């Protein structure tokens, strides 16, 4: 006999920072706008009247059919604009209007559908999962113990020859098996039956429905045979098959849940790094512990060794070491002396320090990283969307196939017909199909996160696996983030410091590495704001900035251009290095020679890419001779300089038209059209704010070697996805005919179903291992 498993028990939603679950009446606590930022972010600016994006964890779900149900239930609530549910991560992204609906309303809608929600920022979520895992383990132990006892009672019937057992002895063994099966039905199978009943009440079909039908049919037939041994169904009981089937299903799902938690661990390791509370300096000069969400910009806090920094800020007292591995990609402890900036989510390793808060909440780098990871964890890759669309019709086909098999076998052997139907119900459950793609993608995203690469677009893993050409930008990509100002040339009568001051005032508008080099040069020398104020400015991607400056003392207004020689209409310098020019209405004002340092691992990263069979190119807006010189140092054979953004776009399109898959590596901001055109794209997260980076992958550290590692990981991911899909499809193609023909007993069908889902998750879990680990 057989059957299958599904959802966990319903648990009530908690308040975002509590330890105890909330009752239904307490959902109104979530309507406090102060709580919204603990599990979401505003889309229309701060305030309680705009649109919000909230991240929640879903309890009681198991499959793609559950995801459909949750999306339908929340989507029907007025004010909920968009719902995205990921069946593999058990998380949902909800976009809602606070002017129309409050969180308590859509929390209640999800609970009414049978799937309680927990805010993603809830510190008790892990404790609740542990409690659920412990209960699942007890269900498994009860099923295992009862299965062994039932098998012991069934064994004599299998080996006994006619006449070896009296009818009374055989009936006694049946009654003993029936009694031992009751705990399995009433306790171990509870989640299956509750989920199936919930689906029936909602007039929908979930993956627990065929499983529950299989279990119920097997138990009813065996019970009828036990109570009426001389009746039409009395010639055989299936308690051994039923208990074995339930045990196999519980084994598979328990291990699957453990593996899912482990592969999602890298994502949670980043998402849950903030402390609940911290010591804050009060008006009396004493430190008192307060909730992190009560902090404000300008507060001074004390962070003890072993604690995480709750916000971005400046060290105002003490020196320490910080662990920033999951935030910046730097694996070694980073010295943070007095005056240095520390990041929210990093850990204080050495000594107590006092920090003045500069950024909190969504403005911190930590919040930006979490937003990227949460967004990626909820995306559905193309193959996963296809599997989800197939899952629900497939379940209808399963029920129809089971009924047809029973009808056909009823005329051949009525006693066997129901067991054939049970086998078909169980063996065809599409759990493995729905898990094949998302489990692999999420495991891979977690592994990349541990290596300092954030996946902003999960679908891009598929595209990255097929690229054969990698195109690098030069400034800030192959070279370090910010070049150094090496020399200043200026018109007669203008001092170099004045030229740098005007250029810095104009460059402050831009995030381009050359602009930041000028701003840094001014700040390093004068440590004060320029005397010129920027009135207006427009940036032309890949060319320069045009704007109007007003002197703060004399109110003099001048129009200036900062950028390439062509943009400013001046002659370039004779030197081979990078250069930026400044011009006004009268013409040339100054030229700045910049020194660019090649990243230390650039040559080794290029060599690794070529060893993987990649063609490597350099496209730069800088002068051709400077681009070729730097490409030669990096080991890149194909280099083009003097490229405008539209020329870069044309080159990428040419490569794609020739059948090549192209990955673009840039700063994520100045090469927007090129990054959008490329099949896959990388941006270095230290170069621009993460919220402005438009690439598929964000490299948090400074290592170019992350690029070949990410490509290799994407290729491994797609191999695993294809293996999972072939296994899920092949398993059904082989086992369904065997079940219909009556050659697959229910217990073996249950073992096959559990093993198929487990194999898919185990195969995906290989992707969570770090290279060389």
């Amino acid at each position: 006999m057989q059957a299958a498993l599904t959802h966990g028990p319903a648990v009530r939603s908690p308040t975002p920072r509590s330890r105890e679950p909330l009752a239904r009446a307490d959902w109104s606590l979530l309507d406090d706008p102060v709580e919204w930022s603990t599990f979401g972010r505003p889309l229309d600016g701060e305030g309680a009247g705009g649109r919000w994006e909230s991240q929640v964890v879903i309890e009681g779900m198991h499959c793609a059919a559950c995801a459909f149900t949750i999306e339908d239930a929340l989507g029907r609530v007025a004010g909920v604009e968009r719902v995205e549910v990921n069946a593999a991560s058990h998380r949902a992204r909800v976009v809602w209007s606070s002017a129309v609906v409050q969180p308590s309303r859509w929390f209640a809608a999800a609970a009414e559908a049978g799937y309680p929600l927990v805010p993603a920022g809830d510190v008790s979520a892990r404790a609740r999962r542990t409690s659920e895992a412990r209960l699942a383990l007890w269900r498994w132990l009860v099923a295992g113990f009862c299965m062994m006892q039932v098998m012991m009672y069934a064994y004599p019937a299998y080996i006994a020859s006619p006449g070896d057992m009296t009818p009374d002895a055989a009936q006694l063994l049946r009654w003993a098996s029936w009694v031992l099966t009751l705990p399995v039905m009433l306790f171990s199978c509870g989640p299956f039956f509750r989920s199936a009943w919930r689906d029936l009440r909602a007039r929908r079909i979930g993956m627990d429905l065929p499983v529950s039908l299989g279990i119920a049919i097997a138990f009813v037939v065996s019970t009828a045979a036990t109570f009426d041994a001389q009746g039409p169904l009395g010639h055989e009981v299936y308690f051994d098959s039923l208990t074995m089937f339930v045990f196999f299903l519980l084994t598979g799902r328990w291990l699957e849940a453990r593996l899912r938690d482990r592969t999602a661990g890298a994502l949670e390791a980043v998402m849950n790094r903030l402390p609940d509370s911290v010591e804050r300096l009060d008006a009396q000069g004493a430190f008192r512990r307060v909730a992190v969400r009560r902090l404000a910009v300008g507060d001074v806090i004390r962070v003890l060794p072993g604690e995480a920094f709750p916000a971005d800020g400046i060290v105002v007292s003490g020196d320490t070491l910080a662990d920033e591995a999951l935030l910046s990609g730097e694996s070694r402890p980073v010295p943070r002396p007095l005056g240095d900036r520390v990041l929210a989510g990093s850990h204080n390793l050495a000594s107590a320090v006092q920090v003045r808060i500069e950024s909190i909440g969504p403005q911190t780098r930590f919040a930006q990283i979490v937003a990227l990871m949460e967004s990626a964890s909820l995306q559905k890759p193309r193959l996963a969307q296809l599997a989800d669309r197939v899952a629900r019709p497939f379940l209808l086909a399963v029920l129809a196939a089971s009924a047809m098999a029973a009808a056909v076998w009823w005329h051949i052997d009525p006693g066997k017909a129901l067991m054939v139907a049970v086998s078909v119900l169980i063996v065809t459950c599409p759990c493995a199909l729905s898990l094949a793609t998302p489990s692999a993608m999420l495991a891979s995203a977690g592994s990349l996160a541990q290596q300092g690469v954030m996946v902003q677009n999960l679908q891009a893993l598929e595209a990255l696996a097929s690229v054969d050409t990698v195109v690098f930008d030069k400034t800030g990509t192959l070279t370090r983030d910010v070049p150094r100002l090496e020399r200043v040339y200026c018109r007669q009568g203008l001092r170099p410091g004045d030229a740098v001051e005007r250029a810095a005032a104009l460059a402050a508008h831009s995030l381009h590495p050359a602009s930041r080099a000028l701003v840094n040069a001014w700040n390093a020398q004068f440590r004060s704001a320029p005397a010129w104020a920027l009135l207006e400015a427009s940036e032309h991607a890949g060319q320069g900035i045009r704007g109007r400056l007003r002197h703060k003392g004399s109110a003099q207004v001048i129009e200036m251009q900062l950028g390439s020689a062509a943009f400013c209409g001046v002659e370039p310098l004779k030197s081979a290095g990078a250069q930026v020019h400044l011009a006004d209405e009268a013409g040339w004002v100054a030229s700045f020679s910049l020194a660019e340092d090649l990243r230390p691992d650039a040559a080794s990263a290029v060599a690794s890419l070529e060893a993987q069979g990649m063609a490597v190119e350099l496209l730069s807006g800088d002068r051709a001779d400077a681009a070729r010189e730097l490409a030669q140092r990096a080991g890149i054979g194909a280099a083009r300089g003097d490229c405008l953004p539209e020329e870069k776009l044309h080159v990428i399109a040419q490569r794609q038209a020739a059948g090549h898959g192209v990955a673009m590596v840039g700063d994520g901001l100045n090469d927007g059209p090129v990054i959008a055109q490329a099949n896959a794209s990388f941006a270095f997260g230290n170069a621009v704010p993460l919220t402005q980076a438009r690439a598929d992958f964000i490299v948090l550290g400074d290592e170019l070697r992350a690029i070949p590692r990410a490509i290799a990981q994407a290729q491994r991911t797609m191999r695993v996805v294809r293996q999972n899909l072939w296994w899920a499809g092949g398993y059904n193609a082989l086992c369904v005919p065997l079940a219909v023909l009556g050659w697959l007993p229910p217990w073996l069908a249950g073992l096959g179903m559990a093993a198929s889902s487990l194999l898919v998750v185990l195969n995906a879990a290989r992707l969570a291992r770090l290279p060389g680990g």
Side-chain angles (χ1 to χ4, degrees), residues 249-502:
L249 281 177
L250 290 172
T251 300
R253 292 201 175 177
W254 185 74
L255 290 174
E256 178 188 317
R258 291 291 300 272
L259 287 168
R260 183 178 60 245
D261 288 344
R262 191 181 77 182
T263 55
L267 299 176
E268 285 199 348
V270 175
M271 294 178 183
N272 298 328
R273 283 174 74 91
L274 289 187
D276 299 327
S277 62
V278 70
E279 294 181 352
R280 181 177 64 182
L281 186 66
D282 61 18
Q284 288 73 40
F287 284 96
R288 300 185 184 279
R289 189 160 289 274
V290 298
V292 166
R293 65 178 180 274
R294 301 298 180 186
L295 296 178
V297 174
D299 285 348
V300 175
I301 59 174
R302 181 169 61 190
V303 182
L304 304 177
E307 290 184 336
F309 292 99
D312 293 353
I314 300 296
V315 178
V316 295
S317 176
D319 301 298
T320 190
L321 296 173
D323 174 11
E324 300 179 356
L326 289 177
L327 297 174
S328 67
E330 176 56 63
S331 59
R332 293 167 297 184
V334 180
R336 292 302 178 204
L338 180 67
D340 251 23
R341 184 177 179 83
V342 293
L343 299 176
S346 61
H347 275 85
N348 183 13
L349 299 179
S351 60
V353 291
Q354 295 180 25
V355 177
R356 185 178 64 252
I357 295 176
E358 290 194 334
S359 301
I360 58 173
Q363 287 74 43
T364 64
R365 182 178 179 81
F366 170 81
Q368 295 170 8
I369 291 174
V370 168
L372 286 178
M373 299 179 75
E374 288 181 329
S375 175
S377 70
L378 288 166
Q379 292 172 8
K380 292 183 180 179
R382 180 180 56 84
L383 293 174
Q385 293 174 1
L386 178 62
D388 287 354
R389 286 196 298 269
V390 169
R392 183 170 284 180
F394 189 80
L395 286 170
L396 289 171
V398 165
L399 297 177
S402 176
M404 291 174 60
V408 170
W409 272 93
W410 192 264
H411 299 288
I412 301 172
D413 184 352
K416 194 175 182 178
L418 292 177
M419 289 306 100
V420 170
V422 169
S423 295
V424 174
L425 282 172
I426 292 166
V427 82
T428 53
C429 187
C431 291
L433 183 64
S434 67
L435 289 170
T437 299
S439 60
M441 294 287 194
L442 287 176
S444 191
S447 177
L448 287 172
Q450 289 180 296
Q451 301 174 60
V453 179
M454 298 293 108
V455 181
Q456 187 164 224
N457 178 11
L458 211 58
Q459 176 63 39
L461 281 169
E462 183 179 351
L464 184 62
S466 63
V467 303
D468 57 12
T469 303
V470 179
V471 177
F472 285 94
D473 184 30
K474 182 176 75 71
T475 303
T477 303
L478 279 177
T479 63
R480 293 187 184 274
D481 289 341
V482 182
R484 292 177 287 106
L485 178 60
E486 195 170 55
R487 192 166 182 181
V488 180
Y489 305 87
C490 52
R491 70 162 57 144
Q492 189 173 4
L494 183 68
R495 293 178 298 180
D498 293 336
V500 173
E501 182 180 29
R502 296 181 186 185

Side-chain angles (χ1 to χ4, degrees), residues 104-190:
S104 60
R105 177 66 191 92
W106 47 271
F107 266 69
E112 289 167 5
Y115 301 94
L117 303 180
V118 178
D122 191 342
V123 296
S124 67
R126 180 175 291 276
R128 187 174 294 102
R129 286 198 305 272
T130 301
S131 176
E132 291 180 1
R134 187 178 296 114
L135 183 59
L137 182 61
W138 273 109
R139 296 185 195 280
W140 175 77
L141 289 172
V142 168
F145 175 79
C146 293
M147 176 200 69
M148 290 187 290
Q149 297 302 310
V150 170
M151 289 296 295
M152 183 177 68
Y153 293 141
Y155 182 68
Y158 286 120
I159 64 172
S161 300
D164 286 352
M165 277 198 310
T166 64
D168 289 342
Q171 189 65 13
L172 179 62
L173 293 176
R174 288 189 177 189
W175 277 104
S177 298
W178 181 80
V179 170
L180 286 167
T181 303
L182 286 178
V184 176
M185 295 294 295
L186 298 176
F187 178 63
S188 298
C189 295

Side-chain angles (χ1 to χ4, degrees), residues 230-244:
Q230 305 304 318
L233 301 176
H235 67 288
E236 190 173 359
V237 294
Y238 302 93
F239 295 121
D240 54 339
S241 293
L242 188 154
T243 54
M244 191 182 303

Side-chain angles (χ1 to χ4, degrees), residues 489-492 494 499 502 506 545-547 558-572 580-592:
Y489 305 87
C490 52
R491 70 162 57 144
Q492 189 173 4
L494 183 68
R502 296 181 186 185
L506 192 55
I545 311 167
R546 180 175 286 109
I558 56 175
E559 292 191 6
M560 307 206 76
Q561 299 88 39
L562 177 70
S564 66
F567 179 74
C568 295
V570 301
E571 290 293 323
V580 180
H581 306 274
L582 184 67
D584 60 13
E585 296 169 323
W588 176 76
V589 174
S591 294
F592 308 95

Side-chain angles (χ1 to χ4, degrees), residues 196-218:
W197 177 242
R198 184 172 59 207
D199 290 340
L200 287 174
R201 282 189 306 161
R203 298 180 180 179
R204 62 176 182 254
I205 297 176
M207 292 187 188
D208 277 341
L209 184 57
V211 166
S212 298
L213 281 175
I215 294 174
I217 291 172

